[in-house]
Amino acid sequence: MNNNHYDVIIIGTGAGGGTLAYRLAPSGKRILILERGDYVPREKANWDPQSVNVDGLYNTKESWLDKDGKDLHPHTNYYVGGNTKFYGSALFRLRREDFGELRHHGGISPAWPISYDDLEPYYTQAENLYQVHGNRGEDPTEPAASAPYPWPAVSHEPRIQQLSDDFAAAGFKPFHVPVGVMLDEKNPQKSKCIRCNTCDGFSCLVGAKSDAQVVCVDEALKYPNVSLFTNAMVKRLDTHASGREVKSVTVERQGTLETYSAEIVVVSCGAINSAALLLRSASDKHPRGLANSSDVVGRHYMGHTNSVMMAISKCPNPTVFQKTLGVNDFYFGSKDWNFPMGHISFVGKLDAITLKAGAPAIAPNFTLELMAKHSLDFWLTSEDLPDANNRVTIDRDGKIVLTYTPNNLEAHDRLQKKLKEAMKLTNCTIHGHECHQGIFGRSLFVGQKIPLAGVAHQNGTIRFGNDAKTSVLDVNCKAHDVDNLYVVDGSFFPSSAAVNPALTIMANALRVGDHLMKRLGVSGSEYQDKRTRDRELAVSR
């Protein structure tokens, strides 16, 4: 047997690759997972705002280029679990309407080649797998679901509950944000999650955030047929002479180049790096990049239009775990503007140290410390639309070039105004309407970095569709041009919607996993029987 040949190679361990590895692990097939980074070291700095938010201890040190050739320092990281190690674990389904064509003020959000109903069973599976806490029926825009959330919603702390009540009294429909954390509020002494203030943007030191490493990769590695190589940077993919199949995967590991092969190769490096990998893999048969006869690879990059808004009140906000409240009343528009605006929720509670990295205009008589103690820290997301000129390319040295011009900005401006108007309606029992002191934008730029949201929600560069002339992947996320190449990160999105893409990436990875099981000749009953046997064996040990 060729020890360098596998049934499946998965490149990347985040929401897509990690989830797919979990799905395929019980198949008995020989699986190799390649991760360019290592495990996040478990250390006190995991929870240190100075180290994480100001010093960027866990950020990649690589630089990209913008369209003018200037250096960009992306706020992203390369570790087992991918960006889920540092995400805020808000796990939303796309709205049913997001799968169809939507008219925005700035243009058209195109329809997907699959419907919400096609993905719904996998959304349910992903919510169970990632232990999502939420309440069905509160969010006025949420699509119908075949099952309740597996865990009750994370409760609001008093200041957030007060705001929720104020919003409801003003006629809005606030809801509990679906969050993937291993929290048991009924049994706090046994709960893995301790409900701390270092979740959103931090790696969880106690392994209680539902990230792809803890939930999926660690579980997949319990199977003897699954291997993981860390610090393994995939340099390129080469095909057989026909150009129709990936023949080899070239990996740089421990300073040397190694070659591996597989019956099926799955790319899941994130929308930017996956596109870059395919472009770096150009050849005589694929002169514009691997699987790029359409010239679509790298195009239609999207990452949402996001902003952080701080509302300052006379009353303090002692909330520890703030990311529990959302408002979607303006997701599809309002009575006075018939276009989608987007989503309002929260970031993790900001502190004075973090504010120094992107300090907003300061309210009169408020220092950064006072602002942090009195702020409500909102996260606003609007949909950016696919534009073929917003794209990932590589220069002659293989360096990533990210060209991006924001669009559909009127929607986001109006969403900010709606929040400001809503905050004026809050009615404190102590200070009345005078409690609200104003709302301020916090800069998402630190030095010359790409805005945080510009990378955290990356999608769209290797879109799927039915037409090989306008898409790279088919409906099963297999490349039109290459018979054994798949992509399962956010690259496949034809549109970005206006909620975090993570749960959709996870659900789609499970969907593609079922397709690959059939392709690998593994029946459903065989798969379930093996998973049951393996679980029983693990318990007996």
Side-chain angles (χ1 to χ4, degrees):
M1 181 179 70
N2 181 357
N3 286 330
N4 284 0
H5 185 76
Y6 294 81
D7 294 300
V8 182
I9 290 177
I10 301 172
I11 306 167
T13 58
T19 305
L20 180 65
Y22 174 88
R23 179 64 117 205
L24 298 183
S27 67
K29 301 298 182 179
R30 196 160 179 250
I31 299 168
L32 174 63
I33 310 169
L34 297 170
E35 169 55 52
R36 69 181 292 176
D38 209 328
Y39 285 88
V40 177
R42 295 192 69 204
E43 54 194 3
K44 291 177 69 175
N46 290 171
W47 282 353
D48 178 37
Q50 176 70 38
S51 297
V52 174
N53 293 323
V54 179
D55 300 337
L57 177 62
Y58 302 107
N59 289 356
T60 178
K61 302 304 184 286
E62 75 174 345
S63 66
W64 301 341
L65 299 174
D66 67 11
K67 61 183 178 181
D68 298 319
K70 296 179 180 178
D71 280 344
L72 293 171
H73 300 281
H75 189 142
T76 192
N77 50 78
Y78 302 131
Y79 292 99
V80 179
N83 280 317
T84 67
K85 291 302 296 181
F86 296 88
Y87 76 159
S89 66
L91 294 173
F92 284 93
R93 299 181 179 208
L94 266 61
R95 316 293 90 173
R96 178 182 291 275
E97 295 86 343
D98 288 326
F99 288 84
E101 182 177 288
L102 278 174
R103 183 172 296 278
H104 288 251
H105 181 266
I108 298 296
S109 176
W112 289 40
I114 61 173
S115 69
Y116 170 75
D117 291 334
D118 294 325
L119 203 55
E120 195 285 328
Y122 298 103
Y123 272 132
T124 298
Q125 293 174 33
E127 286 167 346
N128 280 276
L129 177 59
Y130 281 86
Q131 302 183 37
V132 181
H133 293 56
N135 287 339
R136 299 276 188 229
E138 293 182 337
D139 180 349
T141 68
E142 73 175 353
S146 57
Y149 282 109
W151 288 85
V154 178
S155 65
H156 298 319
E157 293 176 44
R159 182 67 183 92
I160 303 301
Q161 184 63 57
Q162 177 189 345
L163 179 64
S164 179
D165 294 342
D166 282 348
F167 280 164
F172 303 116
K173 296 180 180 178
F175 61 92
H176 290 79
V177 168
V179 182
V181 289
M182 301 174 191
L183 175 67
D184 186 349
E185 295 191 78
K186 292 183 178 179
N187 299 287
Q189 298 304 316
K190 295 182 179 180
S191 174
K192 193 171 183 179
C193 172
I194 60 174
R195 192 173 179 137
C196 69
N197 64 345
T198 49
C199 186
D200 192 2
F202 296 81
S203 175
C204 184
L205 186 55
V206 295
K209 179 160 59 179
S210 296
D211 64 54
Q213 177 230 309
V214 172
V215 171
C216 290
V217 177
D218 289 354
E219 293 301 311
L221 291 174
K222 292 178 181 179
Y223 291 84
N225 54 297
V226 180
S227 302
L228 167 67
F229 291 169
T230 58
N231 300 302
M233 171 70 174
V234 176
K235 306 298 288 186
R236 63 177 287 117
L237 309 176
D238 286 297
T239 65
H240 290 286
S242 67
R244 293 294 300 172
E245 287 190 338
V246 175
K247 174 184 68 174
S248 62
V249 178
T250 301
V251 180
E252 184 176 7
R253 193 162 72 108
Q254 297 176 342
T256 62
L257 292 180
E258 302 172 347
T259 302
Y260 300 91
S261 61
E263 300 301 312
I264 294 170
V265 176
V266 184
V267 175
S268 189
C269 313
I272 295 171
N273 277 291
S274 287
L277 175 58
L278 296 191
L279 293 172
R280 287 199 309 266
S281 300
S283 65
D284 290 342
K285 290 292 185 179
H286 299 272
R288 291 191 290 195
L290 184 61
N292 196 25
S293 64
S294 62
D295 193 31
V296 170
V297 171
R299 294 188 183 273
H300 309 106
Y301 171 76
M302 296 168 286
H304 289 149
T305 301
N306 291 284
S307 60
V308 173
M309 304 292 289
M310 297 178 61
I312 309 298
S313 302
K314 289 182 180 179
C315 283
N317 177 19
T319 303
V320 176
F321 190 93
Q322 183 173 252
K323 200 164 180 159
T324 59
L325 177 65
V327 174
N328 273 343
D329 292 73
F330 312 111
Y331 194 92
F332 293 116
S334 62
K335 292 181 180 179
D336 59 347
W337 205 62
N338 194 29
F339 295 103
M341 283 181 260
H343 163 76
I344 299 171
S345 59
F346 279 84
V347 293
K349 187 71 192 78
L350 297 176
D351 54 58
I353 293 173
T354 302
L355 288 181
K356 291 177 184 177
I362 299 177
N365 303 317
F366 275 83
T367 64
L368 288 179
E369 287 75 15
L370 277 175
M371 287 187 78
K373 290 179 180 178
H374 288 256
S375 69
L376 292 158
D377 312 299
F378 291 93
W379 176 263
L380 281 66
T381 299
S382 299
E383 181 168 355
D384 58 341
L385 303 175
D387 180 344
N389 294 315
N390 284 343
R391 62 186 303 195
V392 176
T393 55
I394 56 173
D395 69 7
R396 65 182 61 186
D397 298 318
K399 194 169 188 177
I400 290 173
V401 180
L402 182 58
T403 300
Y404 181 76
T405 301
N407 60 44
N408 202 29
L409 294 178
E410 178 71 15
H412 198 70
D413 291 343
R414 287 179 177 264
L415 185 64
Q416 290 179 332
K417 291 176 182 177
K418 289 294 184 183
L419 176 60
K420 292 177 180 178
E421 292 169 1
M423 289 304 299
K424 292 177 182 177
L425 299 176
T426 58
N427 190 15
C428 171
T429 56
I430 300 174
H431 306 106
H433 294 296
E434 299 302 316
C435 188
H436 178 58
Q437 298 294 290
I439 189 162
F440 307 88
R442 180 200 169 219
S443 173
L444 292 178
F445 291 91
V446 181
Q448 296 300 310
K449 291 181 179 178
I450 299 172
L452 168 64
V455 178
H457 292 187
Q458 58 186 273
N459 63 81
T461 59
I462 311 175
R463 53 168 36 179
F464 74 160
N466 294 311
D467 187 351
K469 294 180 180 178
T470 58
S471 61
V472 183
L473 310 172
D474 67 15
V475 294
N476 292 315
C477 291
K478 184 189 78 66
H480 292 299
D481 300 345
V482 184
D483 291 334
N484 66 339
L485 176 65
Y486 291 78
V487 182
V488 296
D489 52 29
S491 304
F492 79 97
F493 281 41
S495 66
S496 66
V499 290
N500 188 301
L503 187 70
T504 301
I505 297 170
M506 296 162 179
N508 182 65
L510 295 174
R511 182 183 72 92
V512 174
D514 279 358
H515 162 78
L516 289 177
M517 283 291 202
K518 293 178 182 177
R519 177 165 176 170
L520 291 165
V522 181
S523 68
S525 58
E526 179 184 354
Y527 170 88
Q528 293 298 337
D529 289 346
K530 180 166 179 53
R531 185 173 280 270
T532 300
R533 289 196 303 271
D534 288 338
R535 283 176 176 169
E536 291 173 349
L537 180 61
V539 171
S540 67
R541 287 174 178 169

